[in-house]
């Protein structure tokens, strides 16, 4: 079967055919070279960097590392099946996520580097090259991800976003202005006009598929930028206030209710009686087209539409804010909510003084999963439901996380999920659900897993939250992310316990029951500065770096930022994760089977110990046992006695010897640390994890 030329091959050809003879002062971190780039073509630079020819370097990762894995009879341009032996029962489309290791990347930061060593990150350096990340540059990190066992590349938003009322140096990728277009900043000038931006992304997806990695994206169907490109044709899809009153726009406060009150019906009845709520909803105006369609038809042709609307109508799109009542967060000035219903919610309609008023943003109209109108904005719904299919058709992606999916009406959510699975029945959806108790609801809605609350629980080892999270996860109807940090939270290496805690949790997460290991970009090199201060942030979160660091007080989600890839311990976690790959592979079936798991407990009430066991039947009809034993005290060693009586009773394995397969503190060796048949006597150093097979 003849397969069409891949965009990846076209990209390789474009890089190889360059006639540029410049000798470049162009460096990359040495961790970007996990593909044995020709040593004759590189020069070791100071500070753990390599000096390379950029054209040849990125061409080599394609030619020497990626394409040799290509099989002639496979179509890598579409979401592909990796030949998984799926169980006949209890398998839903997209459940491959259960056996995945996910790497979360924000391309513009993950692949960013000060290539010309000017001391700062430039949008265009001395060679007129962007030092922020691109799809082409991200190819060089795929060997590093594969070394760590990653098989899902999950990307924060890659769509075109707005710079109006932007946050930070660059603006937030969550302020999407056009779902259908990619962020133009992800285009790489190295390729010139030989490939379009869309083709470069296609090449990246193909490269991931060739390496048996799946690709997932973030979609944001609940909000859009305040100068969304959809306004030009559909101003009625948005909420409007007077531009001249913009400075008075604020989140309404309800003094009768406490901070971050839930917007249930009882609280909303109280809210609607508040003078500040009435002040707020009275600020809203009808959209410009409804006010004067003839004038609108002229104004909408303006190049700077937002400015023209202000000039002719004195209108601006109203910013979004939290759906919790009295949430202390200010308005989110760069984004707004879509108007999902054309009328006021049925349940709260009796609380409104008059229904004859312009559409407004309030806690109930935000919470469209709970409060419905009688008139769905069906044309908008169709548009939102086609976001994922559009990326499937054009780029062959394998899955998506739905941002604020919990605030969408169930019929709209069904449309989004069903349309994607009509194209690819094995498409995966991740729910932005942080409450484990709502996992069943997420499953009923068609999701394959939840994000969960590991980022809050795992770092709180002294409160027993780590054990609670990891032991209780086995009972959840859907898997949850096994992680201690995300792009919205503090970094593990910046928590109490520092790099030792980050190492401990990164290892434990690879074996957490009913968990999907999740690595946040930068975590692998012990990054301490958060990407955002959105969740669980402490007052000093912005100040994790030394004031002399060029990225001091910067946040990767909004600013020019590069990760500290030259950290002296940059290879430690990648090497550890590489060592864990064969262990995970050997016990893969057991890690996915709830019935093969048993928690381990110390003889004495030791809050520092956490342990898992998994067992598998061998040809001799005995069951090999895998112990994962961790000391959550990152400061002190502990001698611990572990009761394995129930495990002995459950299995046929009564061996008194085994193998120490892995330790964060020592080399593999024979293992004989038993007091008797039912008690394991173990020494664990500060923050140590031992993995033992009997």
């Amino acid at each position: 079967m003849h397969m069409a030329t891949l965009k990846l091959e076209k990209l390789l050809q474009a890089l190889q055919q360059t006639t540029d003879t410049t000798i470049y002062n162009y460096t990359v971190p040495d961790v970007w070279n996990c593909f044995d780039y020709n040593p004759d073509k590189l020069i070791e630079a100071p500070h753990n960097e390599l000096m390379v020819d950029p054209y040849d370097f990125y061409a080599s990762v394609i030619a020497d590392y990626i394409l040799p894995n290509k099989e002639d009879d496979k179509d890598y341009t579409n979401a592909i099946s990796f030949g998984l032996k799926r169980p006949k029962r209890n398998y839903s489309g997209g459940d491959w996520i259960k056996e995945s290791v996910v790497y979360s990347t924000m391309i513009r930061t993950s692949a960013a580097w000060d290539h010309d060593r000017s001391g700062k990150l430039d949008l265009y350096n001395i060679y007129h090259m962007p030092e922020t990340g691109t799809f082409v540059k991200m190819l060089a990190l795929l060997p590093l991800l594969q070394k760590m066992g990653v098989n899902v590349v999950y990307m924060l938003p890659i769509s075109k976003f707005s710079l109006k009322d932007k946050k930070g140096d660059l603006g937030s990728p969550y302020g999407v202005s056009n779902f259908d277009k990619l962020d133009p900043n992800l285009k790489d000038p190295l390729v010139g006009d030989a490939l379009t931006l869309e083709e470069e992304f296609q090449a990246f997806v193909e490269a991931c598929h060739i390496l048996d990695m799946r690709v997932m994206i973030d979609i944001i169907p609940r909000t859009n930028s305040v100068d969304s490109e959809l306004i030009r044709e559909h101003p009625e899809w948005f909420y409007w206030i007077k531009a001249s009153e913009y400075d008075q726009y604020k989140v309404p406060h309800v003094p009768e209710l406490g901070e971050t009150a839930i917007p249930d019906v009882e609280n909303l009845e109280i809210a609607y009686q508040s003078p500040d709520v009435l002040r707020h909803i009275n600020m809203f105006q009808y959209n410009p087209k409804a006010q004067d369609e003839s004038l609108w038809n002229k104004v909408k042709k303006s190049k700077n539409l937002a400015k023209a609307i202000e000039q002719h109508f004195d209108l601006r799109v109203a910013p979004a804010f939290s759906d919790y009542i009295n949430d202390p967060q200010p308005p989110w000035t760069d984004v707004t909510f879509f108007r999902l219903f054309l009328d006021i919610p049925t349940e709260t309609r009796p609380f409104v003084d008059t229904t004859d008023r312009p559409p407004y943003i309030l806690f109930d109209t935000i919470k469209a999963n709970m409060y419905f109108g009688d008139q769905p904005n069906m044309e908008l719904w169709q548009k939102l439901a086609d976001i994922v299919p559009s990326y499937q058709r054009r780029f062959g992606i394998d899955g998506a996380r739905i941002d604020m999916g919990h605030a969408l009406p169930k019929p709209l959510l069904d449309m989004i999920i069903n349309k994607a699975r009509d194209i690819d029945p094995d498409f995966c959806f991740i729910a932005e659900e942080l409450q484990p108790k709502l996992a069943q609801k997420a499953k009923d809605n068609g999701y394959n897993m939840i994000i969960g609350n590991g980022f809050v629980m795992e770092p709180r080892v002294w409160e027993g939250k780590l054990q609670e999270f990891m032991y209780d996860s086995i009972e959840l109807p859907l898997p949850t992310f096994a992680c201690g940090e995300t792009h919205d939270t503090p970094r593990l290496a910046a928590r109490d316990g520092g790099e030792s805690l980050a190492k401990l949790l990164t290892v434990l997460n690879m074996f957490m029951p009913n968990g999907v290991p999740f690595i946040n970009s930068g975590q692998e090199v012990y990054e301490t500065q958060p990407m955002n201060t959105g969740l669980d942030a402490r007052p000093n979160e912005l100040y994790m770096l030394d004031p002399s660091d060029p990225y001091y007080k910067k946040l990767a989600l909004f600013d020019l930022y590069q990760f500290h890839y030259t950290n002296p311990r940059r290879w430690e976690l990648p090497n550890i994760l590489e060592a864990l790959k064969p262990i995970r592979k050997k016990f893969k079936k057991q890690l996915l089977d709830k019935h093969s798991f048993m928690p381990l407990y110390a003889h004495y009430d030791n809050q520092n110990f956490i342990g898992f066991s998994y067992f598998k039947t061998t040809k001799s009809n005995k069951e090999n046992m895998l112990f994962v034993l961790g000391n959550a005290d990152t400061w002190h060693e502990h001698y611990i006695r572990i009761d394995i009586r129930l495990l002995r009773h459950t299995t046929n394995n009564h061996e008194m010897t085994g193998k120490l397969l892995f330790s964060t503190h020592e080399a593999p060796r024979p293992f004989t640390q038993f007091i008797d048949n039912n008690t394991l006597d173990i020494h664990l150093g500060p923050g140590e994890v031992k993995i033992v097979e009997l």
Side-chain angles (χ1 to χ4, degrees):
M1 179 172 62
H2 175 72
M3 305 303 293
T5 302
L6 296 176
K7 294 297 185 290
L8 186 65
E9 293 168 323
K10 184 178 178 182
L11 172 59
L12 174 62
Q13 188 177 30
L15 291 168
Q16 289 176 331
Q17 287 184 347
T18 179
T19 56
D20 191 339
T21 58
T22 305
I23 298 175
Y24 285 95
N25 172 28
Y26 184 99
T27 63
V28 295
D30 60 7
V31 292
W32 288 18
N33 178 29
C34 278
F35 59 97
D36 297 326
Y37 181 56
N38 188 336
D40 297 331
K41 293 184 177 182
L42 61 80
I43 301 171
E44 287 197 20
H47 312 301
N48 305 319
E49 294 177 278
L50 304 172
M51 192 177 296
V52 299
D53 178 308
Y55 292 95
D56 190 71
F57 182 74
Y58 300 117
S60 294
V61 72
I62 299 171
D64 301 334
Y65 186 86
I66 300 171
L67 285 178
N69 293 281
K70 174 176 169 283
E71 298 177 28
D72 291 337
D73 59 344
K74 273 194 176 181
D75 181 5
Y76 296 103
T77 62
N78 294 304
I80 59 174
S81 166
F82 295 101
L84 299 176
K85 291 183 179 178
R86 300 189 183 96
K88 294 180 180 178
R89 296 180 182 178
N90 300 323
Y91 182 87
S92 299
D95 273 355
W96 45 262
I97 194 71
K98 293 180 179 180
E99 55 188 86
S100 301
V101 176
V102 177
Y103 186 86
S104 169
T105 172
M106 181 172 166
I107 301 289
R108 82 175 183 201
T109 304
S110 298
W113 196 249
D114 176 19
H115 298 297
D116 63 2
R117 295 181 289 174
S118 67
K120 62 184 178 67
L121 208 60
D122 297 310
L123 291 176
Y124 290 95
N125 63 14
I126 58 173
Y127 303 113
H128 305 291
M129 295 178 184
E131 295 189 324
T132 51
T134 66
F135 292 123
V136 173
K137 288 163 62 178
M138 192 67 198
L139 292 171
L141 277 82
L142 293 182
L144 174 64
L145 302 193
Q146 199 162 51
K147 173 185 175 75
M148 297 190 295
V150 170
N151 52 16
V152 173
V153 179
Y154 157 60
M155 293 178 289
L156 301 193
I158 55 174
S159 300
K160 182 181 179 183
F161 61 91
S162 169
L163 298 180
K164 183 173 175 60
D165 300 324
K166 69 177 182 179
K167 298 178 181 177
D169 302 330
L170 301 176
S172 169
Y174 284 89
V176 173
S177 60
N178 190 316
F179 293 120
D180 299 322
K181 294 179 182 177
L182 297 174
D183 174 9
N185 298 295
L186 299 177
K187 177 81 175 77
D188 204 310
L190 283 171
V191 185
D193 297 330
L195 279 80
T196 64
L197 171 58
E198 287 70 25
E199 288 177 317
E200 289 175 28
F201 180 43
Q202 284 179 294
F204 179 77
V205 175
E206 291 167 1
C208 291
H209 284 170
I210 289 171
L211 296 176
D212 282 356
M213 294 180 178
R214 295 184 183 267
V215 177
M216 302 188 74
I217 66 170
D218 229 356
I219 66 162
I220 308 98
R222 186 66 188 96
T223 64
N224 222 223
S225 69
V226 288
D227 65 341
S228 168
E229 293 182 16
L230 291 169
I231 293 172
R232 199 174 295 274
E233 295 304 322
H234 295 285
E236 72 279 6
W237 290 0
F238 299 87
Y239 298 93
W240 299 85
I241 59 173
K242 285 185 177 181
S244 56
E245 295 179 354
Y246 183 82
D247 290 343
Q248 285 86 54
Y249 187 82
K250 61 187 179 69
V251 183
H253 184 259
V254 183
E256 294 83 2
L257 299 174
E259 191 171 289
T260 58
I262 297 172
D264 56 23
V265 174
E266 291 78 11
N267 284 341
L268 282 169
E269 184 173 10
I270 296 170
Y272 269 102
Q273 295 172 16
S274 167
D276 201 39
V277 168
L278 186 60
R279 171 205 59 78
H280 168 77
I281 62 178
N282 280 339
M283 290 186 72
F284 286 81
Q285 309 292 315
Y286 288 103
N287 73 75
K289 182 179 178 181
Q291 290 192 21
D292 188 335
E293 187 168 1
S294 177
L295 178 58
W296 169 252
N297 288 332
K298 297 175 184 177
V299 168
K300 75 175 187 178
K301 297 174 184 177
S302 304
K303 188 173 182 181
N304 188 334
L305 182 59
K307 184 177 180 180
I309 293 173
E310 283 195 39
Q311 181 181 344
H312 293 280
F313 290 95
D314 186 28
L315 291 176
R316 283 183 70 164
V317 170
F321 52 84
S322 169
D323 55 0
Y324 283 96
I325 303 171
N326 297 341
D327 190 317
Q329 293 184 74
W332 307 329
T333 56
D334 56 338
V335 295
T336 188
F337 289 112
F338 280 119
R339 188 181 163 209
L340 295 179
F341 290 93
L342 300 177
D343 55 345
I344 294 172
T346 308
E347 284 193 86
T348 55
R349 204 174 292 165
F351 309 148
V352 186
D353 56 347
T354 172
T355 56
D356 184 21
R357 60 165 60 250
Y360 56 86
I361 298 173
L362 197 62
F363 315 108
D364 51 347
T365 58
I366 297 172
K367 206 81 171 167
N369 62 315
M370 292 174 58
Y371 301 102
F372 315 108
D374 298 321
Q375 303 172 47
N377 191 349
M378 196 52 66
E379 188 178 0
L380 170 60
W381 287 25
Q382 293 289 352
K383 175 69 177 177
L384 299 177
D386 194 55
I387 299 171
V388 171
S390 172
Y391 278 82
Q392 290 175 282
R393 292 188 296 265
R394 292 182 292 156
F395 307 114
I397 62 167
D398 305 280
R401 184 194 78 118
I402 304 179
D403 187 77
M404 286 195 74
H406 56 277
L408 296 176
K410 178 68 163 56
L412 173 55
L413 183 62
D414 290 343
M415 286 172 63
I416 292 171
I417 291 177
N418 293 337
K419 283 197 169 190
R421 292 211 172 116
D422 285 344
I423 295 174
D424 176 10
D426 213 16
F427 197 82
C428 175
F429 279 102
I430 298 173
E432 190 197 11
E433 181 52 72
L434 308 183
Q435 299 183 57
K437 65 182 181 181
L438 297 179
Q440 183 61 53
K441 183 178 179 181
K443 183 176 183 179
D444 294 342
N445 285 338
Y447 288 106
N448 300 97
M449 68 165 294
I450 64 170
I451 290 178
N453 63 345
F455 59 86
V456 171
M457 302 288 281
E458 287 194 9
R460 289 170 166 77
V461 295
W462 299 107
E463 301 170 37
K465 297 296 184 183
L466 170 64
Q467 291 90 334
E468 180 184 339
F469 173 69
M470 289 195 162
Y471 288 153
D472 291 355
S473 66
I474 195 71
E475 304 298 334
L476 295 178
L478 282 182
T480 182
F481 271 139
C483 70
E485 67 171 66
T486 74
H487 70 275
D488 272 330
T489 74
R491 293 283 191 172
L492 279 177
R495 298 275 197 177
D496 183 23
E499 293 181 359
S500 181
L501 176 74
K503 179 165 59 173
L504 165 85
L505 295 179
T506 300
V507 174
L508 287 176
N509 283 330
M510 291 293 145
F511 299 93
M512 175 180 143
N514 202 25
V516 176
F518 177 96
I519 302 168
N520 185 33
S521 189
Q523 177 182 337
E524 70 274 19
V525 292
Y526 297 119
E527 189 72 29
T528 57
Q529 183 75 352
M531 298 177 68
N532 185 24
T533 54
L535 295 170
D536 202 28
R538 300 157 294 185
N540 64 334
E541 212 64 65
L542 269 178
Y543 309 101
M544 292 299 152
L545 299 175
D546 188 275
S548 64
D549 192 295
Y551 307 105
Y552 177 67
K553 292 176 65 176
K554 298 288 188 181
L555 296 173
L557 207 64
F558 317 115
D559 295 313
L560 283 163
Y561 194 94
Q562 72 177 29
F563 295 138
H564 294 72
Y565 283 123
T566 53
N567 182 338
R569 294 177 67 184
R570 65 200 176 282
W571 289 106
E572 184 173 39
L573 281 179
N575 287 339
I576 284 174
L577 292 171
E578 184 177 35
L580 298 179
K581 281 199 310 185
I583 304 174
R584 278 181 50 85
K585 183 178 180 180
K586 182 174 182 179
F587 280 84
K588 174 181 171 181
K589 182 178 178 181
Q590 287 67 42
L591 291 173
L592 296 173
D593 181 5
K594 293 184 179 183
H595 301 293
S596 296
F597 167 78
M598 193 174 292
L600 296 175
Y601 299 98
H603 265 301
Y604 305 103
D605 185 17
N606 191 323
Q607 67 174 9
N608 303 302
F609 174 71
I610 181 168
F612 315 138
S613 67
Y614 295 92
F615 41 91
K616 65 180 288 190
T617 303
T618 65
K619 290 182 180 179
S620 63
N621 206 29
K622 284 190 175 182
E623 297 190 72
N624 281 22
M625 289 191 282
L626 186 76
F627 294 151
V628 181
L629 313 168
N631 174 17
D633 182 349
T634 55
W635 308 103
H636 306 97
E637 64 181 357
H638 288 272
Y639 291 87
I640 298 170
R641 291 183 176 179
I642 303 162
D643 189 342
I644 58 170
R645 190 178 321 159
L646 182 59
L647 190 60
R648 292 289 203 195
H649 180 74
T650 305
T651 70
N652 294 319
N653 189 325
H654 296 277
E655 294 291 334
M656 299 293 284
T657 61
K659 299 175 186 175
L660 177 65
L661 300 180
F662 170 85
S663 166
T664 51
H665 285 48
E666 59 177 308
R669 58 171 171 78
F671 186 86
T672 56
Q673 293 173 256
F674 293 89
I675 293 179
D676 55 42
N677 193 50
N678 296 316
T679 308
L680 187 64
D681 193 31
I682 191 82
H683 167 263
L684 292 171
E688 182 179 8
V689 180
K690 278 186 166 79
I691 300 178
V692 176
E693 181 182 16
L694 297 190

